[in-house]
Amino acid sequence: MDHLQTVFYIFLLISLGLVLGNLHYKNFSLDIAGLLIVSLVAGHFGIVIPEDFKYFGLAIFIYAIGLQTGPGFFDSLKNEGLKLNLLSLTLLSLFFFSIVLVSYLLGYNSSISAGIYTGVITSAPALASALEIKNDHTISVIFGIVYPFALVATVLVFRILPIVFKIDFNKEYEKYKEEVFKEHPPILTKNFKITNEIFKKEKVKKSDLERLTGTVVERIASQHEIGEIVDDFVIHYGDILRVTGTVEQLKRMKIVAGEETEADVQFKDDMKIYRLLVSNKDVVGKKINELKELYALGGRISKVRRAGIDISPMPEVTLMLGDKLYIVGPEKNKDKIIKLIGDNLMAFPSADFIPISFGIVLGMLIGYIPIGVPFVGVFRLSFVGGILLCALIFGRLGRTGPIVWQLSPHSNNLMKVLGQLLFVATVGTNAGRYLVESLASYGIYPVLFATVTLIIIIFSFSFYVLKILKMNGLQYLGFLAGTLTSTPSLGVINNMVKNELPSISYAAVYPFSLIVSLIFAEVIFKLI
């Protein structure tokens, strides 16, 4: 094929594959498997996309995933997130060693085993990692055969699990909210009247009161001259304050101030409350105490809301793209405050390719650094692992000096989708050339092996986690989809549940699970 034909066939295959993948039957769809099936058939009839597109697509796909999940990945390795990722490692290890053991007993070579392993966990990046070690068409063909059946089996399992284990979605969500509120208590706003006699005798400044109670004084009604709220003024007996903080912080304020008031207070100051989304690239990645321009405008952050959780505006909190800030500031500076924060994700720079290209290049260089692993030998993170590692780190940093690593959500999603489509179309057509030959050689046995392994391990593991460890059922469903890096499964769960808990646990384990699956996809060639 010449270059123009190649471009034509790429977009033809993507179009047909997406049409097939988006056909729904009772909330089930083939998703990306639709493109894989179309590409395998096209490859069988001689339409083959050059492999250069595979690596290009994979590079931008993996980099976009890392940037997207980086901000929450390292936090997920603490406390509850650490437990989830250890469980994820356990489940993936069960899949890996079961497939290695049975492959050895059945006499399957490493290529067949790698195809079964990457297919059963429906992971295109893991397939890429395996192909990087051994560029054998057999891996792609077995992956292509196993993937659709594993995808269907996985989606059906997510339908059946809640019934078998009697997961009450509403009850599990209420339990979750109680646990979250203990760790991240909601931030409330109340009015307090200063009735403590100490305020008659001592000069108590606003900053002293905030430091003592941990709250933020948003507004004040006073008979005394106080200037703007940002000034560190003296609080007087009889003043009424509007204060933001957690329940415990507000209790401390009540003890110090003297009286909580439910009265509808008419504040005569010039202060207003603004709810703004962080989208200005000059703000993304900065800590709250670095926003000197905001303080100069009389603005004060009273609450940060991220991924449905309220975060106290501590000075060391790093602002991320899309954070929702609750800001108290003078109305006369409203336009300047909005301009400073951004409040328009669509306006976030989407064509700054310097950070993208630099991150991918650095990731590729790191991926080829040899690492000695006991009992395994020399190991490399590879093309995929190196890029993912860099993207996770840069996504977490947000910015380095003038360089902003994060992308706007729409830019990130475009990179991710385009990269995955290019990768799957290329892999599918190249494997399709050997489709009939491989089916004749291996028959349906790899599919049966993969499907039975998938069902037995998932139900056994589910029993242990849900009945023995007593994990929250909704959290477990999201965790399971994240461990299998299965976006279609998450979609099925979200259609059933209609709340954010499965997505939160999915995001907590997805990056770690992806890295582990990449490593296992390479290690399999060391063991068989």
Side-chain angles (χ1 to χ4, degrees):
M1 289 191 297
D2 61 29
H3 300 308
L4 292 179
Q5 281 182 314
T6 298
V7 174
F8 173 78
Y9 282 125
I10 286 174
F11 287 101
L12 176 63
L13 293 175
I14 289 175
S15 299
L16 296 175
L18 290 178
V19 169
L20 178 61
N22 287 324
L23 294 176
H24 285 76
Y25 178 74
K26 295 183 178 180
N27 292 324
F28 169 76
S29 65
L30 286 171
D31 194 62
I32 196 67
L35 175 57
L36 180 62
I37 292 170
V38 169
S39 299
L40 284 168
V41 174
H44 172 66
F45 287 102
I47 299 174
V48 179
I49 307 301
E51 291 207 333
D52 292 346
F53 286 95
K54 175 179 73 177
Y55 295 107
F56 173 74
L58 191 62
I60 61 175
F61 171 58
I62 293 296
Y63 194 71
I65 286 177
L67 287 182
Q68 183 181 41
T69 56
F73 172 63
F74 294 99
D75 291 336
S76 74
L77 297 180
K78 305 172 185 175
N79 303 324
E80 186 66 22
L82 179 60
K83 296 177 185 176
L84 288 177
N85 281 295
L86 287 175
L87 284 173
S88 178
L89 174 61
T90 302
L91 180 55
L92 287 172
S93 297
L94 286 173
F95 277 116
F96 176 74
F97 288 110
S98 297
I99 289 170
V100 168
L101 177 61
V102 177
S103 294
Y104 178 78
L105 295 175
L106 294 177
Y108 287 162
N109 61 35
S110 58
S111 295
I112 299 174
S113 300
I116 293 173
Y117 171 71
T118 55
V120 80
I121 61 172
T122 61
S123 175
L127 170 64
S129 186
L131 290 173
E132 193 173 357
I133 298 298
K134 187 178 182 181
N135 194 14
D136 184 348
H137 68 268
T138 303
I139 304 173
S140 300
V141 171
I142 297 299
F143 174 88
I145 297 170
V146 170
Y147 184 107
F149 290 93
L151 181 65
V152 172
T154 302
V155 170
L156 290 176
V157 162
F158 277 97
R159 285 284 187 184
I160 297 170
L161 275 177
I163 300 172
V164 173
F165 292 99
K166 299 178 181 178
I167 299 174
D168 186 322
F169 295 148
N170 293 328
K171 188 181 294 185
E172 296 295 278
Y173 188 58
E174 290 303 317
K175 288 180 185 177
Y176 160 73
K177 287 198 294 186
E178 290 177 8
E179 293 171 1
V180 167
F181 287 159
K182 289 178 184 177
E183 188 172 350
H184 300 282
I187 297 176
L188 310 173
T189 300
K190 291 186 177 182
N191 295 336
F192 292 89
K193 185 173 183 179
I194 305 299
T195 59
N196 191 332
E197 295 289 332
I198 194 71
F199 286 86
K200 290 181 178 180
K201 305 171 186 177
E202 302 287 341
K203 286 187 176 181
V204 181
K205 292 185 177 181
K206 178 174 75 78
S207 60
D208 297 328
L209 190 59
E210 289 177 329
R211 186 168 55 252
L212 183 63
T213 61
T215 59
V216 174
V217 176
E218 289 188 355
R219 306 185 72 180
I220 183 169
S222 177
Q223 295 180 350
H224 300 81
E225 183 66 32
I226 59 172
E228 291 186 354
I229 192 78
V230 72
D231 297 332
D232 196 11
F233 52 80
V234 174
I235 295 176
H236 300 85
Y237 184 88
D239 288 351
I240 296 179
L241 310 179
R242 175 167 290 174
V243 180
T244 294
T246 65
V247 173
E248 288 300 318
Q249 291 169 341
L250 294 176
K251 283 182 181 178
R252 290 199 293 269
M253 175 59 77
K254 184 175 181 180
I255 294 171
V256 176
E259 181 181 317
E260 181 183 334
T261 176
E262 300 291 340
D264 185 17
V265 182
Q266 295 296 319
F267 293 96
K268 298 180 181 179
D269 55 37
D270 183 39
M271 308 304 289
K272 301 295 180 184
I273 299 175
Y274 309 106
R275 298 168 179 83
L276 307 175
L277 294 175
V278 175
S279 63
N280 184 349
K281 74 171 186 175
D282 295 328
V283 173
V284 173
K286 282 190 174 181
K287 298 183 185 299
I288 287 179
N289 61 4
E290 295 176 337
L291 297 182
K292 294 180 173 45
E293 303 94 331
L294 180 61
Y295 288 99
L297 293 171
R300 200 64 193 283
I301 299 174
S302 61
K303 180 169 68 174
V304 179
R305 189 162 181 83
R306 179 184 299 162
I309 295 175
D310 293 338
I311 301 173
S312 294
M314 305 301 288
E316 67 275 9
V317 171
T318 299
L319 298 178
M320 297 294 179
L321 180 67
D323 282 351
K324 187 175 185 179
L325 306 184
Y326 290 69
I327 298 176
V328 181
E331 188 171 19
K332 65 180 182 180
N333 291 332
K334 174 183 176 181
D335 293 339
K336 292 180 179 178
I337 291 174
I338 293 175
K339 183 178 179 182
L340 174 66
I341 303 302
D343 199 38
N344 183 3
L345 292 178
M346 295 298 292
F348 189 83
S350 57
D352 189 358
F353 277 93
I354 294 177
I356 297 172
S357 56
F358 178 78
I360 291 175
V361 168
L362 184 60
M364 291 177 66
L365 292 175
I366 291 174
Y368 287 102
I369 296 175
I371 303 170
V373 179
F375 308 109
V376 175
V378 176
F379 170 78
R380 291 178 175 83
L381 284 175
S382 80
F383 171 82
V384 174
I387 292 176
L388 179 61
L389 178 62
C390 275
L392 287 170
I393 294 173
F394 291 150
R396 179 67 179 89
L397 290 174
R399 73 182 301 134
T400 306
I403 301 177
V404 177
W405 301 107
Q406 288 188 326
L407 299 174
S408 63
H410 52 282
S411 298
N412 192 286
N413 191 56
L414 177 62
M415 273 184 60
K416 185 171 63 175
V417 172
L418 177 61
Q420 187 175 31
L421 293 176
L422 287 173
F423 171 76
V424 172
T426 307
V427 168
T429 56
N430 280 273
R433 291 181 294 174
Y434 311 97
L435 179 62
V436 174
E437 174 189 332
S438 298
L439 283 173
S441 300
Y442 309 115
I444 199 68
Y445 295 109
V447 172
L448 293 175
F449 170 27
T451 306
V452 171
T453 300
L454 177 75
I455 293 172
I456 291 176
I457 289 179
I458 286 183
F459 274 93
S460 301
F461 192 78
S462 298
F463 177 83
Y464 172 71
V465 173
L466 293 173
K467 297 301 182 182
I468 308 299
L469 298 184
K470 306 291 185 183
M471 181 188 284
N472 184 293
L474 285 182
Q475 186 182 37
Y476 176 71
L477 292 175
F479 154 85
L480 188 57
T483 298
L484 298 174
T485 62
S486 175
T487 305
S489 298
L490 180 64
V492 170
I493 299 167
N494 286 335
N495 284 335
M496 294 189 294
V497 174
K498 307 296 184 184
N499 65 58
E500 76 280 4
L501 177 53
S503 296
I504 291 172
S505 55
Y506 174 91
V509 299
Y510 179 92
F512 180 77
S513 300
L514 184 55
I515 292 174
V516 172
S517 65
L518 298 182
I519 294 172
F520 280 162
E522 293 187 20
V523 172
I524 204 166
F525 295 100
K526 301 280 186 179
L527 301 179
I528 298 180

